[in-house]
Amino acid sequence: MTAITEAVSLEKEGEIGMLWIDNPPVNALGYPVRKGMQDGITMAMKDNGIKAVVVICKGRTFCAGADIREFGKPPKEPHLPDVLTTFDQCTKPIIAAVHGTAFGGGLETALSSHFRVAVASAQFGLPEVKLGLLPGAGGTQRLPRLIGPEKALPMIATGNPIGAAQALKEGVIDEIIDGDLAKGAVAFAKKVLAEKRPMRKVSALTDKISGVKPEIFANYRKELNKSARGFEAPEACVKAVEAAVGKPFAEGLKYERELFTQLMMGSQSAAQRYYFFAEREVAKIPDIPADAPLIDIKKVGIIGAGTMGGGITMNFVNAGIPVTLVEVKQEFLDRGLGVIKKNYDITASKGKMTADDVTKRMGLIKGTTQMEDLKDVDLVIEAVFENMDLKKEIFRKLDAICKPGAILATNTSYLNVDEIAAQTKRPEYVVGLHFFSPANVMRLLEVVRGAKTAIPVLATAMAVAKKIKKIAVMVGVCFGFAGNRMFAQRKREVDKLILEGASPAQVDKVIYDFGFPMGPVALLDLIGIDLGWSKDNSKGRTMQEVLCEAGRFGIKNGKGYYNYAEGSRAPKPAPEVDAMIKEFAAKKGFKPRAISDEEIIQRCIYPIINEGAKILEEKIAVRPSDLDVIWVNGYGWPVYRGGPMFYADLVGLDKILAVMKKFQADLGDDFKPAPLLEKLVKEGKKFASLN
Ligand code: 3H9
């Protein structure tokens, strides 16, 4: 074996050169790999004893792409596109042997090889678009030549991978290898040599890109307009695939490079690359070792079969973990189970699961009205409505019923987890698990760390979250924890802006255009204006009370801030509400004024950032990027803007501080700058310095 670089070596198996890549954890194509691949192929070309080359990886996966950590730094030669040109032009057949994930530059390496084989569990994808990029080493030019633009477009513009079986069907790979990959790849290489198979240079293929109808691009763009609003990279992906069809290979490659460079230098990709690492950092808690002991969660109890409890239940049974679901009355239980079954039936009707899957999942749920049935579960999640006395009573009961060592969790969104824990003799086993609604859909989970919560309990909560496919963020105890506490700032400002003269439609448009999935006022209509409202206490003190007293509850009854046609969720103007707002604002002493779109952004976003700074100071969150993960996954913050704390760094903390001070002078102490914000500005630092 010849070591070419610290990450690449060349070994001979008879006439076959085995180019081994070994760059843990994911064989990213950093400098030592690129240099090793380039020199390895050159060496194999010169070696008369080598007739064909197998490119294969050690460890858990084939190459997962370019080394994202190198992006933004001065590039070091050889560049990947040049290395892959060497592959392309190699006169001896190169066979890529894939296991794990051939992603991004990894798949581009395989596409630049002359043949591709893989184990059945391998995945193939070009996820660059999820980093705000496009495949920049020929992927946009080679994949359409190999499988046609229609099949290549979704892979490139959505970044979603395909499995080996589909890859074989579509012609991405030539063979699936059963058993040992290296042996299978060598056998395949020998077959290629024995059969004198012609070298299949993907760059030279033309049949799949000839006679392509231009409408496929127009149609695909229509789809993207719906799913990728605001993102720059998907459109660049389409343009590059169009070029694959319309331009000779070398020109297409050049165009791809131009688009790649533009995207790489833009703020969207910077945000999305930052976010990629933020989502991985979130699992690292400074005082919780990676090997902290875990509690085995084999069986879960959930109290409350309402929307929240039902959604949480689905998460666990989806992961194959049985759930005992407790309700106070059989009628509520039946209703809750019915909703879960209906949700699964809808999924099955869309072909996303089989009827058998539905039966299996429902079979994992045991409904009961007896809390005593929770005596053998390993984790209980209480998901009843937000009432401290009720929660306290439940935890006292649970403490008596549940076995020692069982984790007792509350799904409270706001309440003090320590106060709840104090009801038990095992506060170290009490934790908050704050799911977001709808709990079976939303990926965010705030793991709320009580003052006494034990390390194994926290480590288990984080591990369980991963098992049920949630992104868990550890936060501390305070009213609303991290996410809702920051969100309350926006809610307050939206309410005020409307009274000061901005129309609901203006506020909604500005926030929607910023990249949120919907405007905050339309969101209120969706959630229900009557949430937390009670007729008996309502005295017309807030716009919420005024609207509810007028029977305007939101989409649910077709009337909220907007009007809704029957069965429709599309907001229509409601002049009668404009009049109600005007009257209420006048009563409260507001003088209507024109409010700029810029002010709406600043009023709605800067206080969120400021609150984030306070949360960091109070050590409610571990790091600024954790808050960004919360906002992207729980509140619809557009990932191409990184998250509020990343966005703050981009805008400039000095600018944000100056605007907050101006608002404080004009509008009061809701805008009082957080001391941490002042400190960072004074020191010329960014939030990033705290990550
Ligand atoms: C590209 O290829 C551009 C080209 O077209 C053109 C170039 C000219 N780089 O996710 P995990 C780290 S763009 C650097 O927890 P899993 C990750 O941060 C690239 N580091 O494991 C983590 O580090 P740590 C296109 C990377 O098993 C560790 O590896 N490719 C990279 O759940 C383990 O990762 C992609 O976008 C990387 N490319 O999932 C693929 N990838 O332990 C991105 C991972 O310090 N990667 N790391 O926290 C993935 O999708 C997943 O990591 C993968 C494994 C599915 C591979």
Side-chain angles (χ1 to χ4, degrees):
M1 176 162 27
T2 313
I4 300 168
T5 62
E6 65 263 42
V8 180
S9 57
L10 185 63
E11 197 181 276
K12 274 197 216 170
E13 285 274 339
E15 289 184 326
I16 312 299
M18 303 292 287
L19 195 66
W20 282 100
I21 299 172
D22 185 10
N23 186 30
V26 296
N27 292 312
L29 293 150
Y31 168 73
V33 178
R34 295 196 305 274
K35 172 89 177 127
M37 285 182 3
Q38 171 91 310
D39 292 354
I41 292 296
T42 311
M43 206 182 271
M45 289 257 278
K46 287 185 188 151
D47 187 331
N48 290 333
I50 293 178
K51 302 282 186 256
V53 184
V54 168
V55 177
I56 186 163
C57 292
K58 297 253 155 110
R60 67 198 222 212
T61 179
F62 193 75
C63 305
D67 189 336
I68 306 166
R69 289 181 208 273
E70 283 185 355
F71 290 170
K73 295 182 187 152
K76 204 167 164 190
E77 287 182 12
H79 304 308
L80 189 60
D82 300 333
V83 176
L84 298 188
T85 301
T86 306
F87 270 54
D88 190 271
Q89 290 170 358
C90 178
T91 47
K92 298 176 183 177
I94 302 177
I95 295 103
V98 178
H99 73 294
T101 45
F103 277 2
L107 179 52
E108 291 173 300
T109 300
L111 292 172
S112 309
S113 306
H114 307 105
F115 300 95
R116 287 152 293 279
V117 297
V119 294
S121 57
Q123 299 254 311
F124 300 83
L126 292 169
E128 285 88 343
V129 70
K130 296 185 183 179
L131 300 169
L133 296 169
L134 51 66
T140 65
Q141 304 305 299
R142 288 193 174 92
L143 193 62
R145 281 174 165 78
L146 189 62
I147 63 172
E150 231 159 337
K151 288 191 175 125
L153 268 175
M155 275 188 80
I156 294 171
T158 70
N160 295 333
I162 58 170
Q166 196 181 341
L168 181 69
K169 196 171 132 219
E170 293 185 354
V172 176
I173 58 173
D174 302 287
E175 197 169 298
I176 291 183
I177 304 281
D178 290 327
D180 185 78
L181 177 63
K183 279 191 189 137
V186 169
F188 182 88
K190 284 183 177 162
K191 200 162 58 181
V192 167
L193 293 175
E195 292 171 5
K196 293 196 172 55
R197 282 201 204 177
M199 297 271 284
R200 199 152 175 262
K201 269 194 200 183
V202 176
S203 61
L205 302 176
T206 52
D207 56 328
K208 294 271 168 50
I209 51 165
S210 327
V212 173
K213 293 195 188 94
E215 311 86 85
I216 69 158
F217 295 104
N219 292 341
Y220 194 71
R221 281 194 167 94
K222 266 188 225 150
E223 246 174 75
L224 276 184
N225 287 343
K226 281 185 239 150
S227 61
R229 180 178 61 92
F231 288 86
E232 288 161 3
E235 168 58 23
C237 290
V238 180
K239 278 187 181 158
V241 176
E242 248 172 347
V245 172
K247 293 181 196 282
F249 182 74
E251 270 181 48
L253 215 52
K254 211 168 135 234
Y255 184 58
E256 174 196 83
R257 194 76 207 149
E258 274 167 31
L259 292 171
F260 180 83
T261 310
Q262 268 170 28
L263 291 171
M264 176 70 91
M265 289 188 323
S267 66
Q268 289 205 350
S269 176
Q272 288 177 256
R273 276 155 25 218
Y274 157 85
Y275 183 78
F276 175 85
F277 290 113
E279 207 175 274
R280 280 155 181 81
E281 273 309 290
V282 86
K284 297 168 193 160
I285 318 289
D287 66 335
I288 302 183
D291 59 353
L294 297 178
I295 298 163
D296 198 9
I297 306 294
K298 289 202 219 72
K299 213 169 169 189
V300 172
I302 291 169
I303 304 178
T307 314
M308 211 59 202
I312 299 172
T313 300
M314 290 173 76
N315 289 317
F316 284 95
V317 297
N318 290 349
I321 301 171
V323 170
T324 303
L325 183 59
V326 184
E327 253 301 352
V328 277
K329 280 190 186 165
Q330 189 64 39
E331 173 198 345
F332 299 158
L333 187 61
D334 291 343
R335 194 194 306 153
L337 287 168
V339 172
I340 296 175
K341 171 82 169 42
K342 197 173 139 202
N343 283 338
Y344 280 137
D345 284 341
I346 292 172
T347 311
S349 71
K350 290 181 186 158
K352 290 185 185 161
M353 70 168 51
T354 64
D356 192 39
D357 290 333
V358 177
T359 312
K360 271 195 197 130
R361 285 178 205 203
M362 290 309 294
L364 284 173
I365 308 171
K366 179 186 158 196
T368 174
T369 53
Q370 305 299 313
M371 277 246 289
E372 285 67 26
D373 287 344
L374 296 175
K375 60 181 183 301
D376 62 344
V377 302
D378 307 294
L379 162 69
V380 184
I381 303 170
E382 160 278 306
V384 302
F385 56 89
E386 290 286 72
N387 177 307
M388 187 52 125
D389 290 339
L390 177 62
K391 287 187 193 269
K392 282 182 175 173
E393 190 194 323
I394 288 175
F395 272 74
R396 283 195 293 270
K397 281 190 189 157
L398 286 176
D399 197 24
I401 292 169
C402 293
K403 65 184 182 190
I407 299 177
L408 311 184
T410 170
N411 175 50
T412 180
S413 314
Y414 291 96
L415 301 176
N416 189 321
V417 173
D418 290 330
E419 221 180 304
I420 296 172
Q423 303 304 307
T424 72
K425 287 189 221 57
R426 51 173 120 180
E428 63 280 13
Y429 282 89
V430 177
V431 68
L433 291 180
H434 178 212
F435 288 83
F436 285 68
S437 189
N440 51 319
V441 178
M442 298 292 284
R443 290 184 74 208
L444 178 62
L445 176 68
E446 282 183 326
V447 173
V448 188
R449 177 178 197 161
K452 293 191 178 158
T453 316
I455 298 275
V457 172
L458 294 168
T460 302
M462 298 298 283
V464 165
K466 203 168 175 190
K467 215 172 193 172
I468 60 171
K469 298 198 166 72
K470 297 287 168 201
I471 297 177
V473 184
M474 179 95 57
V475 294
V477 174
C478 65
F479 188 74
F481 316 123
N484 279 347
R485 183 170 150 184
M486 290 164 86
F487 185 72
Q489 300 288 316
R490 188 178 90 174
K491 166 84 173 64
R492 183 196 63 224
E493 288 312 306
V494 168
D495 287 351
K496 287 187 341 200
L497 281 162
I498 288 172
L499 297 181
E500 288 169 37
S503 70
Q506 185 194 2
V507 174
D508 277 353
K509 182 171 184 323
V510 170
I511 296 298
Y512 178 79
D513 288 347
F514 184 83
F516 282 92
M518 64 194 301
V521 186
L523 181 66
L524 270 176
D525 273 0
L526 178 71
I527 297 170
I529 304 176
D530 61 332
L531 196 78
W533 173 77
S534 105
K535 196 175 174 188
D536 299 337
N537 298 329
S538 191
K539 296 200 172 67
R541 286 162 298 201
T542 60
M543 244 350 264
Q544 181 200 17
E545 291 189 349
V546 170
L547 288 167
C548 289
E549 284 164 28
R552 305 191 71 99
F553 300 149
I555 291 183
K556 64 175 84 164
N557 71 342
K559 292 181 294 182
Y561 276 95
Y562 299 98
N563 288 328
Y564 299 86
E566 186 144 358
S568 161
R569 289 177 160 215
K572 296 222 158 59
E576 63 274 36
V577 174
D578 296 341
M580 287 161 80
I581 292 172
K582 247 189 207 150
E583 191 189 324
F584 182 74
K587 209 165 86 188
K588 291 277 166 188
F590 287 95
K591 294 206 172 62
R593 64 183 171 95
I595 296 181
S596 70
D597 291 354
E598 188 189 15
E599 180 176 341
I600 291 176
I601 290 289
Q602 292 174 338
R603 295 268 301 272
C604 289
I605 306 285
Y606 292 7
I608 292 176
I609 295 162
N610 196 50
E611 199 63 29
K614 289 184 197 163
I615 284 171
L616 290 168
E617 252 168 345
E618 293 167 28
K619 305 213 178 311
I620 296 292
V622 175
R623 52 181 84 80
S625 63
D626 284 9
L627 299 177
D628 288 336
V629 173
I630 287 177
W631 270 77
V632 167
N633 290 289
Y635 299 87
W637 184 283
V639 67
Y640 60 78
R641 291 190 198 271
M645 311 318 275
F646 177 88
Y647 175 76
D649 280 350
L650 204 68
V651 171
L653 298 193
D654 50 348
K655 178 179 171 198
I656 291 177
L657 179 63
V659 173
M660 288 294 287
K661 281 185 172 163
K662 185 184 172 303
F663 284 155
Q664 187 186 15
D666 296 348
L667 301 158
D669 277 348
D670 284 343
F671 297 93
K672 189 166 188 278
L676 177 63
L677 181 62
E678 306 233 34
K679 181 169 172 274
L680 288 173
V681 172
K682 207 163 167 188
E683 292 170 357
K685 288 186 178 159
K686 295 179 167 204
F687 282 119
S689 66
L690 306 173
N691 279 327

